[in-house]
Amino acid sequence: MEHRYLGRSGLRISELVFGNLLYPQDSTPDESVLACLRAALDSGITTFDTADIYGMGRSEQLLGRALAGEPRDGVVICTKVFFPTGTGPNGSGLSRKHVREALHASLRRLGTDYVDLYTAHRYDPNTPLEETVSAFADLVRAGQVLYLGVSEWTAPQIAEAARLARELNVQLIYSMPQYSALWREPEAEVVPVCESLGIGQIPYFTLAQGVLTGKYRPDSPAPEGSRGAAELVGGRARFMRRLLTDEVLERVARLEPVAAEAGLTLPQLAVAWVLHRPNVAGAVIGASRPEQVRENAAASGTKLDPETMARIDDVLGPVVSRGDLDG
């Protein structure tokens, strides 16, 4: 497993970051989750991403259990704050009160006295940004957080937060956007701003929620138990609607010979593509089975030549979402 520096800092994270995503009512057995976490450790992954909202604290608890026997200086733990996890009117958002209380609850669940990376999970329009950055800075000074980051913030929001952080002598060093070969919207504004500010990217949904694994086929029903199958009953995958079209799935299927020629599986090709993009420090991968973890982890260190990268662009071009780059 290779490691990269995160933003303009001395912190190195593993190229593959294991995302321990659990939905609020997730029924995945504890042992299945722990098996994937152990597979990640066995594959050399040292960086783990979770959030207080994932499984309403269950993800953090299980991650804490999995890492309990590991040397603390050998792993990097990232968690997040924003979504409702507390009670009463101050149980969500990025107010000083919620940020402080949410972190302390996360530390208890994780079984550690600090987190390496603390992420503002979304932007809070109801709290002054000065209050939020100041609250995060206090946690850094208290030694309970080492570095700061954001997820799904706009370029202007990131730039202003970075300015405030600099004034308070703390480091905003990463952004966590949705980013894949099918979803390239961060390239329009977020990546250029972050590059100029020394902020690195840790993208999530790098396999486009499973679409880039090739398990969804055109003119075929989604596999039973998959996120795409949940879409059919209006469940957790409702936002996958635009990805589950025959046009998109046919294009993804055309990547299979490209992957084969590169000596990779389709998921490995998708992960490698993300790792070859500018400003990317690590790619978040998730899995429901240990063998998926091991397969995806093998993408670390893979070298894709310019011709292969161009072929991926050519195949997927008509179905890529580029945000402000469209048209």
Side-chain angles (χ1 to χ4, degrees), residues 52-305:
D52 56 4
I53 191 64
Y54 293 170
M56 293 304 291
R58 182 167 166 252
S59 171
E60 290 180 327
Q61 291 172 341
L62 291 172
L63 179 57
R65 285 174 57 185
L67 298 182
E70 298 295 318
R72 184 63 183 86
D73 61 356
V75 295
V76 172
I77 299 174
C78 173
T79 194
K80 311 182 190 71
V81 58
F82 172 78
F83 290 106
T85 53
T87 58
N90 295 302
S92 63
L94 296 178
S95 69
R96 176 179 293 276
K97 177 175 175 62
H98 182 62
V99 166
R100 180 180 182 277
E101 293 172 351
L103 175 67
H104 290 170
S106 290
L107 293 177
R108 287 193 297 271
R109 288 188 291 263
L110 288 163
T112 184
D113 57 4
Y114 74 96
V115 294
D116 304 273
L117 307 175
Y118 202 34
T119 312
H121 210 160
R122 293 294 185 272
Y123 184 82
D124 184 356
N126 299 312
T127 300
L129 187 56
E130 293 84 355
E131 176 182 345
T132 296
V133 177
S134 176
F136 274 81
D138 286 348
L139 297 175
V140 172
R141 295 191 186 99
Q144 295 175 315
V145 171
L146 301 188
Y147 302 93
L148 306 176
V150 299
S151 180
E152 294 296 347
W153 285 32
T154 66
Q157 291 165 352
I158 293 171
E160 180 62 9
R163 183 188 69 79
L164 292 169
R166 286 194 302 272
E167 290 181 356
L168 293 170
N169 294 315
V170 295
Q171 292 175 276
L172 181 69
I173 64 167
Y174 65 96
S175 167
M176 300 187 74
Q178 179 182 173
Y179 188 39
S180 71
L182 282 171
W183 186 271
R184 307 189 194 181
E185 296 193 8
E187 295 175 355
E189 296 181 352
V190 168
V191 168
V193 164
C194 287
E195 284 184 311
S196 71
L197 295 171
I199 295 171
Q201 306 299 317
I202 309 178
Y204 70 92
F205 284 172
T206 51
L207 294 176
Q209 301 160 80
V211 172
L212 285 169
T213 67
K215 67 181 177 182
Y216 301 106
R217 313 300 294 186
D219 299 317
S220 299
E224 185 177 351
S226 68
R227 189 174 299 173
E231 165 68 21
L232 301 178
V233 293
R236 67 190 187 191
R238 60 188 180 279
F239 47 88
M240 286 183 64
R241 195 179 310 276
R242 66 162 221 92
L243 293 174
L244 295 174
T245 66
D246 282 346
E247 182 183 15
V248 171
L249 300 181
E250 286 167 359
R251 289 279 172 175
V252 171
R254 288 170 58 182
L255 284 180
E256 291 176 347
V258 179
E261 290 176 27
L264 303 170
T265 65
L266 195 49
Q268 289 168 348
L269 181 73
V271 172
W273 181 91
V274 171
L275 291 173
H276 278 70
R277 300 304 297 162
N279 198 225
V280 170
V284 178
I285 60 169
S288 57
R289 301 189 307 277
E291 56 267 28
Q292 293 174 328
V293 180
R294 290 187 283 268
E295 177 184 351
N296 293 339
S300 176
T302 298
K303 306 301 180 186
L304 299 181
D305 58 42

